[in-house]
Amino acid sequence: MNKYLLRIVLVIIGGTVPALAQTYGTDNHQVTVQVSTITMVSVDISSISMTITGAGVPAGQDQMTATNTSSKLRWGVNSSSRKITAQTNLATPLFALNLLAVSPTQGTAAAEATLSTTAQDIMLNIGRSLGECTLQYTGIALASQGTGTDSHTITFTVTTQ
Amino acid sequence: MLKNIIYLLTLMVVLALPTQAQYMDVQGGNQVLSITTAAAGSEPTAVVNTSSNLRYRRQTFVITKVTVSTSCPGQNFTLKVYASTIQNNGGTAAPEVTLTNGMLATDFITGIPRFSNQWRTATLRYTASATFAQGNSAELGNEVHTVTYTLVAQ
């Protein structure tokens, strides 16, 4: 009888040990990750005002300027080879308005541009990045141009470089 | 003679135990997670999917666990999985697992009790995320993971 029980115990142990390292079941499924083309561009301040007063301009100098760096441009682009352009809706401004991207966290700032109704490069090489820059606006008036007010609506666009 | 028969039957039962109740399946079919938006100044918004479940049962002498692994050649984006809402005392969820192509099998649910033939169900909570720097599917193609779950001895 003892021999009989011993045999059963050995069989149980022998059957259990392989089970410790065994795979009991497996299954799989497919999980697809899709990432859409996402392009996001925004300006943090919706309206700014600049006044050219001529204060500090030496006597005899025709050109007067005012500068504003209070707003930032932010973008998020997950496509390659992209740039940002800017243009104004004001076809015939009385005074020149220049724009320069300052201290970009990604990409390369383009040269300072005088805004017109034609899109002009502001930021280059921003493909696949999340970044921001300061917008430096400079209003330029000549004494000979007299007084007046220009109201611009400026549009920033991410486009293929 | 009777002893030999009992001996043989015992042997058959014991050898059958590891495979008797082996069963595991993924319910809910294949899943698609689409990342489509981003808030201003932030990376694209992560997407969560809880539409599939893992069902498993085991009747054995040993405590078991579930591991997870994936195959996804050319992976660019991030996919994580977590066992949420484990029912019927079906073990303990491991920390969220980041699924990486070619990864070793990683603990997903541990401490599944022995001697129970109950079905256990865990909700598969997938989270997909991507940065702007990682690009998009139009340029890089969709990313298809074959995610494999395996029930093994712990």
Side-chain angles (χ1 to χ4, degrees), chain A residues 4 7 11 15 20 22-36 40 76-80 128, chain B residues 6-7 14 18 22 25-26 29-31 33-35 58 62 126 135-137 139 143 145 147 149-151 153:
Chain A
Y4 169 69
R7 188 177 292 179
V11 167
L20 292 173
Q22 185 160 346
T23 295
Y24 301 114
T26 187
D27 197 11
N28 65 62
H29 69 160
Q30 290 189 336
V31 179
T32 300
V33 179
Q34 296 176 335
V35 180
S36 300
M40 180 265 299
V77 178
N78 65 357
S79 302
S80 57
R128 293 183 184 174
Chain B
I6 293 174
Y7 169 76
V14 171
Q22 66 175 288
D25 62 8
V26 177
N30 298 331
Q31 302 296 315
L33 287 80
S34 298
I35 297 170
R58 181 65 195 136
V62 298
Y126 288 103
N136 64 67
S137 296
E139 293 180 348
E143 207 160 89
H145 289 257
V147 184
Y149 297 92
T150 306
L151 185 64

Side-chain angles (χ1 to χ4, degrees), chain A residues 58-71:
Chain A
Q61 180 172 317
D62 196 20
Q63 181 172 297
M64 300 168 287
T65 64
T67 299
N68 182 295
T69 57
S70 63
S71 59

Side-chain angles (χ1 to χ4, degrees), chain A residues 43-65:
Chain A
V43 181
D44 66 342
I45 296 177
S46 60
S47 179
I48 60 174
S49 179
M50 301 166 60
T51 303
I52 301 172
T53 63
V57 176
Q61 180 172 317
D62 196 20
Q63 181 172 297
M64 300 168 287
T65 64

